[in-house]
């Protein structure tokens, strides 16, 4: 698993990622069974193109990305947002691939605001 953990360091974390987040995610990855990790990677490689399904959704969708994510960069994020009918985009400066963990307070604040703005009216 150490080879996978080392590879994930090439893009998983942004420069401002808290050390405790890195330690927690690294430990989780290192503890994964190798066969399970291999199966997950194979599944990721075989996943279908979900953009047509995204285009069919007529619901608000929060798209969150980090500016320091080399895998889901600005072009990928723009493509996802363009595939949705009602996207709301949040880009977190300096965050890598895990903005919900790396910038937890900012992410949670945005998610709560999004949920509140789209909550059904109370009777």
């Amino acid at each position: 698993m150490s080879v996978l953990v080392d590879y994930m360091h090439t893009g998983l974390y942004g420069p401002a990622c808290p050390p405790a987040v890195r330690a927690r995610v690294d430990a989780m990855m290192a503890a994964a069974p190798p066969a399970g990790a291999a199966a997950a990677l194979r599944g990721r490689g075989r996943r279908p193109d979900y953009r047509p399904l995204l285009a069919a959704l007529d619901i608000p969708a929060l798209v969150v990305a980090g500016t320091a994510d080399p895998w889901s960069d600005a072009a990928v994020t723009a493509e996802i947002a363009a595939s949705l009918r009602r996207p709301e985009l949040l880009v977190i400066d300096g965050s890598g691939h895990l903005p919900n963990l790396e910038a937890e307070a900012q992410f949670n604040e945005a998610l709560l605001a999004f949920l509140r703005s789209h909550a059904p009216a109370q009777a």
Side-chain angles (χ1 to χ4, degrees), residues 47-115:
R47 70 181 175 193
D49 182 356
Y50 290 110
R51 288 172 295 183
L53 292 172
L54 295 177
L57 296 175
D58 191 14
I59 58 171
L62 181 62
V63 178
V64 183
T67 60
D69 184 346
W71 298 324
S72 296
D73 61 13
V76 171
T77 301
E79 188 173 0
I80 290 169
S83 296
L84 293 160
R85 291 185 189 185
R86 297 165 53 190
E88 293 182 30
L89 180 61
L90 169 65
V91 178
I92 300 179
D93 191 42
S95 180
H97 197 68
L98 305 171
N100 59 316
L101 300 177
E102 294 182 45
E104 185 177 6
Q106 186 178 357
F107 175 87
N108 286 345
E109 181 180 310
L111 179 58
L112 283 172
F114 174 81
L115 294 171

